[in-house]
Amino acid sequence: MFVAHGRVNSPHPLMGPRLTNISLTGQTADFAAHDRRLLAARRAGAGDLRFRLLALGAAVTVMLVFAGVIAALLVGALPAFRAFGLSFVTTDAWSPTQETFGALASVYGTLVTSAIAMLIAVPVGIGIAIFLTELCPRPLRRPIAMAIELLAAIPSIIYGIWGLFVFAPWFQAHVQQPIIEATDGIAVIGSLLGGAPYGIGVFTASVILSIMILPFICAVTRDVFETVPHVLKEAAYGLGCTTWEVMWRVALPFARTGVVGGAMLALGRALGETMAVTFVIGNAHNIDVSLFSPGTTISATIANEFTEATGALYSSSLIALGLVLFVITFIVLAGAQLMLRAMERRAGR
Amino acid sequence: MTSRLANPGLYLRRRLTNGLFILLSLAAALFGLVWLALILYALLKEGVSAMGPHIFSLPTPPPMMEGGLYNAILGSVIMSALAVAVGAPIGLFAGTWLAEYGRHHRLAFIVRFVNDILLSAPSIVIGLFIYEVMVARMGHFSALAGAASLAVIVIPVVTRTTENMLLLVPGGLREAASALGAPRSFVITAVTWKAARAGIVTGVLLAVARISGETAPLLFTALNNQFTTADLNSPMASLPAVIFQYAMSPYDDWHALAWAGALLITAAVLALSILARLLERKQRR
């Protein structure tokens, strides 16, 4: 029988002695050691439970934070909704001096900037993902993928300052001016791309947003493209398909759920993006047909006005804006998660 | 010579489409890389010329006076450190619960869902939340509230990476440790955490990278402070908040300081992200 001599040298009291302390001493059972281990077992049981509860507590904290965010926004937004009711989201009059607040201009700006950003970022993001998985020479793959991912790491305030001082002036002189001159007088496009070339405005904000969400779309698309079984692609190539046909007709349909999920994840980011937009959108509470005109988004309005908001109704209206934003992003992000989970399950099978 | 193909026109068209598509995806990749290059170039050009020892030694100045970013750097470091000190343990334990205890628990599905929503939730909403719970209650802006809002951003990042990294640890390791008689908590702290150490550190680094550029939640929690302070109960300057204030101002020397701050943040964040990625690769190997 194995019996430990002297101090039990073990990584844990319950785990028995290290081999160095074991000797074969025949029948003599070490009752003291047995008792010690029983005691240790009891103590370890209590410690084990404590650790488990600690972990559970942390997990519950995550849920409490989430519930707290919703509760705080609801409580804060209550005065505004009580004063304006549903017209808060259906009117666009935003006047701190007259204490009337309607969120429509902000909501419109949020939706339009995000939509344009998606129009640019989705095709480009998928294009980059295809380039990286199918066309890129192997040694270049990792550096290029890393560079694209670094776009996501750059803080949004950096996009903001760069957009304001570098991109907007360039865009104003070299893109906006010629476009406005060229489209002037054309029926729909003329008014869509008309007005004065400010440099900053809804379209500028959309372009900056599209660069910011590009890496999200690219990363998720790349991940789901890797789940496409090689035999599927090889079979298609074997039939004589070109790279384009393999990607468009085989890989993309297979990975559709994941790509849509990734796009929605990016949309969630775009909707809530604050600083970059605040710098370049112009912060004007108006709904203008022209995409070159200044506008505002929910997050930009809050960032600009919250600390200067005087009066309970003004603050409450801004918090109500936050609630509207949270609800919109929640729906989009929840949808994204459901699709990505479905994709994961399929890839796991 | 007659073509062996039944329909040479179709073949040509398919090849042309393919060529066009390859060009387009190449253009897409260049499009992404060009933006990165342009942003980094502008940061270096404007940031380096504004850089100097005064950035680190002098506090933020009134307009037209000489000054640096000392108080903003200090504020950012203090609040980020506090946020990580509070948020990282919570995230570590929450991720541990998800991977070790509640892997298939019904509660775990909800926690995972909620955590992923928090991970991408607009940070400005987090700022509003902390404003409501802390600033409005205490009656004043404070560094504590700023750190709290950053901690709320740290938690989901650390939770997610910790869970992912713990799931990479082979189950056999846990079973072997359990078979030796080690209780569950000991298996986790001495075996799985140890095996996933690089991955867990990755999560913390990513969280630090994420919060060091966060501006929106700080605007109405820590606000800003023109003076140097280490008092957690008073408003505190931070690099992002100062960049925002100075970039929006009409003064050229404030713009220069904003660029210097932007360069500092970007250098820190990019270094952290690259380090995190290298560590993650080490973990996955």
Side-chain angles (χ1 to χ4, degrees):
Chain A
M1 187 183 169
F2 292 107
V3 170
H5 276 301
R7 206 165 51 85
V8 178
N9 182 10
S10 135
H12 190 276
L14 282 187
M15 285 174 73
R18 286 241 166 92
L19 273 178
T20 48
N21 291 333
I22 292 174
S23 62
L24 291 167
T25 50
Q27 305 298 316
T28 45
D30 189 341
F31 289 110
H34 182 72
D35 280 358
R36 271 203 305 275
R37 286 181 71 179
L38 259 184
L39 214 72
R42 211 166 295 148
R43 228 177 304 135
D48 216 28
L49 188 68
R50 258 206 307 277
F51 188 85
R52 190 193 181 117
L53 288 179
L54 202 62
L56 180 65
V60 171
T61 306
V62 173
M63 292 202 297
L64 286 182
V65 167
F66 182 75
V69 171
I70 296 176
L73 289 178
L74 276 176
V75 170
L78 205 60
F81 278 112
R82 205 173 271 157
F84 306 114
L86 257 186
S87 72
F88 180 73
V89 280
T90 54
T91 57
D92 69 337
W94 186 272
S95 166
T97 47
Q98 290 165 18
E99 293 236 301
T100 47
F101 300 100
L104 197 60
S106 301
V107 175
Y108 170 84
T110 298
L111 297 180
V112 168
T113 48
S114 298
I116 300 175
M118 293 294 284
L119 279 181
I120 302 172
V122 169
V124 176
I126 295 179
I128 298 177
I130 292 176
F131 174 76
L132 284 174
T133 43
E134 290 294 313
L135 304 167
C136 186
R138 209 162 267 282
L140 281 179
R141 229 171 249 189
R142 194 172 274 171
I144 293 182
M146 193 130 163
I148 299 290
E149 276 172 39
L150 285 186
L151 275 178
I154 294 178
S156 71
I157 189 153
I158 306 298
Y159 282 98
I161 187 172
W162 180 79
L164 180 67
F165 290 129
V166 182
F167 182 70
W170 175 84
F171 187 72
Q172 178 182 22
H174 296 101
V175 182
Q176 239 176 352
Q177 190 70 43
I179 286 185
I180 289 173
E181 277 164 18
T183 59
D184 191 31
I186 306 172
V188 181
I189 305 168
S191 46
L192 210 56
L193 301 174
Y198 293 108
I200 54 176
V202 172
F203 193 78
T204 312
S206 310
V207 174
I208 304 260
L209 268 183
S210 74
I211 309 168
M212 299 182 68
I213 60 175
L214 192 58
F216 291 99
I217 297 175
C218 178
V220 177
T221 309
R222 228 160 64 88
D223 282 348
V224 292
F225 273 164
E226 311 228 308
T227 67
V228 177
H230 285 291
V231 283
L232 267 186
K233 286 194 278 187
E234 281 158 17
Y237 279 122
L239 286 173
C241 285
T242 59
T243 313
W244 161 248
E245 285 159 351
V246 171
M247 294 317 282
W248 187 247
R249 303 245 172 97
V250 179
L252 210 53
F254 185 90
R256 193 171 38 206
T257 325
V259 173
V260 175
M264 285 174 79
L265 196 68
L267 177 62
R269 293 274 173 158
L271 289 166
E273 182 45 56
T274 308
M275 296 322 290
V277 174
T278 307
F279 272 92
V280 294
I281 197 160
N283 304 309
H285 282 276
N286 61 6
I287 299 178
D288 200 308
V289 199
S290 170
L291 297 178
F292 288 159
S293 67
T296 190
T297 66
I298 296 178
S299 46
T301 303
I302 303 174
N304 267 313
E305 301 180 19
F306 194 75
T307 42
E308 283 149 27
T310 47
L313 195 58
Y314 194 2
S315 310
S316 172
S317 299
L318 287 167
I319 293 175
L321 268 184
L323 181 66
V324 172
L325 176 64
F326 192 69
V327 170
I328 299 176
T329 45
F330 178 84
I331 295 170
V332 171
L333 290 174
Q337 276 203 54
L338 293 179
M339 305 196 95
L340 290 175
R341 293 266 150 83
M343 193 69 206
E344 249 168 53
R345 268 201 300 280
R346 205 168 70 177
R349 219 192 297 150
Chain B
M1 195 182 113
T2 53
S3 170
R4 281 183 290 121
L5 291 160
N7 188 344
L10 177 68
Y11 182 59
L12 188 68
R13 206 166 61 233
R14 286 175 56 204
R15 284 197 36 187
L16 278 178
T17 316
N18 189 48
L20 182 73
F21 146 78
I22 287 178
L23 268 182
L24 278 179
S25 73
L26 191 70
L30 281 178
F31 180 83
L33 294 178
V34 161
W35 290 118
L36 182 69
L38 283 175
I39 292 172
L40 293 183
Y41 170 73
L43 272 173
L44 284 175
K45 193 179 119 208
E46 305 281 343
V48 168
S49 64
M51 202 51 86
H54 62 284
I55 294 287
F56 301 96
S57 61
L58 295 174
T60 47
M64 315 300 198
M65 304 256 283
E66 203 197 350
L69 294 167
Y70 168 69
N71 55 337
I73 297 172
L74 184 73
S76 273
V77 170
I78 290 177
M79 286 191 283
S80 301
L82 264 178
V84 171
V86 174
I90 297 179
L92 172 67
F93 275 102
T96 303
W97 187 82
L98 286 175
E100 301 289 333
Y101 290 111
R103 203 178 284 191
H104 303 292
H105 203 280
R106 195 178 303 153
L107 187 66
F109 285 99
I110 305 173
V111 172
R112 243 173 242 134
F113 181 79
V114 163
N115 190 66
D116 283 357
I117 298 273
L118 280 179
L119 194 62
S120 319
S123 56
I124 193 153
V125 170
I126 309 281
L128 286 177
F129 162 60
I130 296 293
Y131 176 86
E132 281 282 291
V133 230
M134 287 182 76
V135 180
R137 280 262 155 103
M138 293 159 71
H140 57 87
F141 299 99
S142 69
L144 274 183
S149 66
L150 294 181
V152 171
I153 295 169
V154 169
I155 293 172
V157 180
V158 177
T159 304
R160 172 113 308 276
T161 31
T162 303
E163 192 203 353
N164 286 350
M165 294 303 158
L166 289 180
L167 288 179
L168 289 179
V169 177
L173 266 184
R174 295 186 185 90
E175 285 160 18
S178 294
L180 287 173
R184 196 71 177 272
S185 58
F186 189 73
V187 175
I188 292 170
T189 49
V191 179
T192 38
W193 277 3
K194 222 171 204 172
R197 199 167 36 192
I200 293 172
V201 174
T202 304
V204 178
L205 288 181
L206 285 178
V208 176
R210 171 91 194 268
I211 58 170
S212 46
E214 275 296 348
T215 321
L218 290 177
L219 290 179
F220 18 89
T221 51
L223 202 65
N224 202 341
N225 193 338
Q226 201 190 323
F227 305 104
T228 310
T229 179
D231 180 9
L232 296 180
N233 226 350
S234 67
M236 193 181 266
S238 62
L239 272 178
V242 168
I243 295 175
F244 182 48
Q245 184 200 348
Y246 281 16
M248 291 299 213
S249 77
Y251 312 107
D252 278 342
D253 45 350
W254 274 16
H255 290 174
L257 280 177
W259 276 111
L263 179 63
L264 277 181
I265 290 189
T266 312
V269 168
L270 290 191
L272 280 169
S273 323
I274 292 174
L275 190 65
R277 240 161 269 285
L278 294 178
L279 268 178
E280 188 188 1
R281 198 168 296 151
K282 187 178 151 207
Q283 179 74 47
R284 287 193 186 274
R285 201 173 288 147

